[in-house]
Amino acid sequence: MCGIIGITRAPVGDGSGRSDVLEVLLEGLGRLEYRGYDSAGIALVGPDASDGLWRARAANGTRSLKDLTKRAEDAPELSSAGIGHTRWATHGGPTEENAHPHVDCSAGLALVHNGIIENHVELADELVAAGHRLRSETDTEVLAHLIEVAVSDHPEIGLVGAVRAALGRVRGAFSLAVVCSDEPDLIVAARRVSPLLMGVTGDSAFLASDIPAILGLTRDFFVLEDDQMAELRPGSLRVTNFEGEEIDPQRITVDWDLEAARKDGYDDFMSKEMHEQPKAVADTLLDRLLPDGTLSLDEMHITNAELRAVNKVFIVACGSSYHAGLMAKYSIEHWARIPVEIDIASEFIYRDPVLDPTTLVIGVSQSGETADTRIAMEEARRQGAKVLVITNVVDSSMARGSDAVLYTRAGPEIGVAATKTHLAQITALEILALYLAQARQALSPHDARVLFEQMGVLPDKVALALERSADVEAVAATYRDSPSFMFLGRQVGYPVALEGALKLKELSYLRAEGFPAGELKHGPIALVEPGTVVIGVATRTPIWEKMMSNITEVKSRGATVVLVANDGDEETARQADAVLWVPETEYLFAPIIDVVPMQLFAYHLARLHGLDVDRPRNLAKVVTVE
Ligand code: AGP
């Protein structure tokens, strides 16, 4: 959940002008802030060994990068290589001492790291006993000192050999980049589990943990795989395994441009990304509905025979991805008639789940890097289940570690709150539900065609729901001073309520809880008193009447009621103090539309409170630790 960038570049012009290594690093860090913003730091070396190493760090929450940029005014005019890091604190608080890059005792080498060194305590004890001075509480710093030990024991192995030797001592996950003033045009990188991409153009070579950070430099990337190292020099790249054998790195080309990773004139990424939802849904549907009205998911490389052999589906995910899974549970059971279990990944891992080769385990993760979900997928594979991953990130750790992948096509999401990736996940899961039904002949061709056609118009309906943003803002303004909110839904409306509550808590820091409306009388109704704001999902489903009875129950206890209702449904509107209108659709697809006013409500309420919607406190976009 930290961001890494590095670049080595031949000095510009005749070597006397200012090099732009620093500018590339700062710009890249700006695009990595969503990976964490507890601190930011850079280290520069070169162009001569005698120039030494220059480092600056800042730890000031969302102002970290601003502060770092100010400090960088004192950076040397000319440098040949540099590394940068944005941090989301895990080991050690969000302080400057704990900010990356970390250095060795002589401050001649610097290192940035993403991941966790599991045996850092024993290594730190050993290093301190040998006279090393560790200055931070991080797990990362031991690596800098281990490299220092390796270089001083065997100077002939150079930085590459020393990094290799140091990594031989550690357990855990890492992507890292190291620079050293003695080899001033070299960056050494390594990967185990945490992702790292590299690029080479002209007289430069660069790397990053995430594509947007270096998308301005190239669209062609080399992927560093697990247990590989890379040596980056100006204009060249050499990849080896940990034994030092040279490897041809895998190459990928992305079709996003830099604009896709910028705000496009919106006030914030969240707004931009919410408005990209019709496209995210449309793109995720693209090519998967064939002109003859059937579905094609050949890309998963799972045969119909294999799908027919599935006896149970197990969906595993976290946060909004879990809610997407919960929404799909209803569709898979209803259409494909396969029992579906669903669990939060961190619970699944330790509950000893019963799986076998006839179980299809579906991991849902926009990032494809979430530690809990990744470990759950590994456990499922260990038990012999077939593992399918639904993710937005091509070549992510989960995509690479599964039997099959179904990609959502939402493009990069920068805002910490999942919006367009969430809608794309629900869409992909609904396609999968219909595909399973098709493979198992659980749906008649006529019914399947009608449903596929309805999916085709979902992007327009999502766009209509978004057009009501100003109306939702007016409702949010009415209730801006409410200290807490209760979200209610039944059946497919229940996960919509959970998602509404999650969005509101993460963006507004207000108490917001989602409940199945039918469960009210078993406890939660005790929370309702005059003035309690209840937000109910009351779009038309087969159990709409039951939902409305629950709304009557809270109203009779004095609750103020805001209802999500289908356009023109005055019968529902009469029961509400305020209405969030949405277009109607087949009820099992309704979450794709009904969740939109929930996102808008949370977004507007947070802005009315003057909060940063893109970078909510205490949260990171990608959670790569358990
Ligand atoms: C959503 O708004 C959250 N930021 C969070 O719950 C997120 O959905 C969760 O951490 C899972 O992430 P993933 O989809 O990348 O696995």
Side-chain angles (χ1 to χ4, degrees), residues 310-546:
V310 170
N311 278 333
K312 184 170 81 176
V313 169
F314 219 130
I315 304 178
V316 185
C318 309
S320 295
S321 299
Y322 170 78
H323 299 155
L326 197 49
M327 292 160 188
K329 170 183 160 74
Y330 298 90
S331 303
I332 298 173
E333 290 191 332
H334 182 76
W335 287 325
R337 305 305 298 152
I338 311 174
V340 180
E341 266 201 67
I342 172 151
D343 212 344
I344 287 173
S346 53
E347 290 299 312
F348 172 92
I349 302 168
Y350 300 106
R351 70 176 256 205
D352 201 8
V354 181
L355 312 171
D356 65 36
T358 68
T359 315
L360 176 65
V361 177
I362 305 174
V364 188
S365 172
Q366 77 81 19
S367 61
E369 302 293 343
T370 302
D372 292 321
T373 315
R374 180 177 52 73
I375 295 167
M377 295 304 100
E378 285 165 10
E379 173 60 19
R381 280 189 104 187
R382 204 185 55 75
Q383 289 202 31
K386 197 154 195 73
V387 170
L388 165 68
V389 163
I390 296 183
T391 182
N392 195 47
V393 181
V394 174
D395 231 32
S396 53
S397 302
M398 260 180 256
R400 292 145 63 90
S402 60
D403 298 305
V405 189
L406 179 56
Y407 284 113
T408 51
R409 296 168 181 155
E413 188 173 72
I414 310 294
V416 165
T419 53
K420 62 174 180 171
T421 56
H422 178 60
L423 254 64
Q425 285 173 341
I426 315 169
T427 306
L429 281 157
E430 297 294 352
I431 296 172
L432 182 67
L434 290 171
Y435 189 67
L436 284 167
Q438 179 182 279
R440 298 163 73 92
Q441 293 169 336
L443 264 181
S444 75
H446 172 266
D447 289 350
R449 190 163 310 117
V450 170
L451 288 164
F452 298 157
E453 280 166 12
Q454 291 182 351
M455 286 202 96
V457 293
L458 284 171
D460 291 341
K461 294 188 174 183
V462 171
L464 262 177
L466 283 163
E467 279 173 22
R468 283 90 189 249
S469 179
D471 302 336
V472 180
E473 184 178 7
V475 177
T478 308
Y479 302 109
R480 61 169 287 171
D481 295 326
S482 173
S484 65
F485 293 83
M486 180 183 268
F487 287 76
L488 298 179
R490 289 188 79 127
Q491 203 193 28
V492 288
Y494 166 49
V496 174
L498 290 181
E499 178 64 8
L502 177 66
K503 282 286 157 290
L504 195 59
K505 326 185 211 237
E506 65 181 341
L507 296 175
S508 306
Y509 321 145
L510 292 170
R511 297 203 171 274
E513 295 304 330
F515 299 104
E519 187 68 6
L520 268 183
K521 51 193 163 299
H522 303 291
I525 201 162
L527 295 171
V528 178
E529 58 186 357
T532 303
V533 180
V534 170
I535 302 190
V537 185
T539 47
R540 293 287 172 152
T541 70
I543 58 161
W544 169 84
E545 278 178 5
K546 298 210 180 292

Side-chain angles (χ1 to χ4, degrees), residues 20 28 43 46 79 86 97 136 161 176 182 271 339-340 399 421 430 436 492 506 521 528 534 562 601 620:
D20 62 355
S79 42
T86 54
E97 291 68 40
S136 76
L176 55 89
D182 288 343
S271 182
V340 180
T421 56
E430 297 294 352
L436 284 167
V492 288
E506 65 181 341
K521 51 193 163 299
V528 178
V534 170
V562 178
F601 186 81

